[in-house]
Amino acid sequence: MKGKILVVDDEASVRELFSGVFVEEDYEVIAAETGDQALDILGRDDIDVIFLDLKLFGMNGVDLCRRIRKTRPVSMIFAITGWAPLFDIEECREAGFDDYFEKPLNIDILLAVVGDSFKKLDRWKRRYTNIQK
């Protein structure tokens, strides 16, 4: 397995799309429908590549990103939205998102982003391990 990805989206079709595409590429995909479910998952599982829908019921993706960043400053967190006019890119950057993708999603771009994210995380973890020695 290449790594774990968390997808948080209230649309079952988006969660299924991510699962289908990324499982086929040998990633483990864990899906959540709400921000609270995502926080529960992150509280018990080590996941560093995260996709958050910006328009969730209850807690929106921007607020969720801020909460995740408090405990996971190195994680790669990506915004996904079908409501781009409602969310300002500057607000997303300030909240801690690493990138921003509009629906409909381009799967080839997402595959490249995920691959690059895991490579970057591996480099960072190796550097950290070397510093600790």
Side-chain angles (χ1 to χ4, degrees):
M1 181 183 61
K2 294 179 182 177
K4 292 181 186 178
I5 301 168
L6 175 63
V7 178
V8 185
D9 199 300
D10 55 359
E11 291 180 55
S13 60
V14 173
R15 296 190 308 271
E16 291 164 6
L17 172 71
F18 271 86
S19 292
V21 169
F22 287 103
V23 166
E24 190 174 298
E25 294 294 323
D26 203 29
Y27 294 99
E28 180 180 347
V29 177
I30 299 169
E33 189 173 348
T34 67
D36 288 331
Q37 287 175 353
L39 293 171
D40 287 344
I41 291 165
L42 291 169
R44 65 177 184 268
D45 211 336
D46 187 26
I47 305 171
D48 284 321
V49 175
I50 305 164
F51 287 88
L52 305 178
D53 185 16
L54 293 177
K55 193 169 188 279
L56 296 168
F57 294 115
M59 178 187 331
N60 72 36
V62 172
D63 292 336
L64 179 56
C65 183
R66 286 186 179 112
R67 290 188 60 183
I68 293 169
R69 276 286 175 227
K70 289 179 183 176
T71 59
R72 296 175 176 271
V74 176
S75 293
M76 303 298 293
I77 306 175
F78 303 104
I80 53 177
T81 187
W83 300 89
L86 296 181
F87 296 95
D88 183 83
I89 290 178
E90 288 179 19
E91 181 184 20
C92 289
R93 288 294 297 158
E94 180 271 325
F97 283 103
D98 292 290
D99 209 338
Y100 179 100
F101 301 98
E102 292 182 29
K103 298 175 186 175
L105 301 165
N106 181 316
I107 297 305
D108 292 332
I109 291 173
L110 294 180
L111 285 168
V113 164
V114 166
D116 290 345
S117 295
F118 280 108
K119 287 177 189 173
K120 184 182 288 187
L121 289 164
D122 286 343
R123 284 192 312 271
W124 290 348
K125 288 176 183 178
R126 280 196 306 273
R127 287 182 191 141
Y128 180 76
T129 301
N130 290 336
I131 291 170
Q132 297 301 311
K133 290 181 180 179

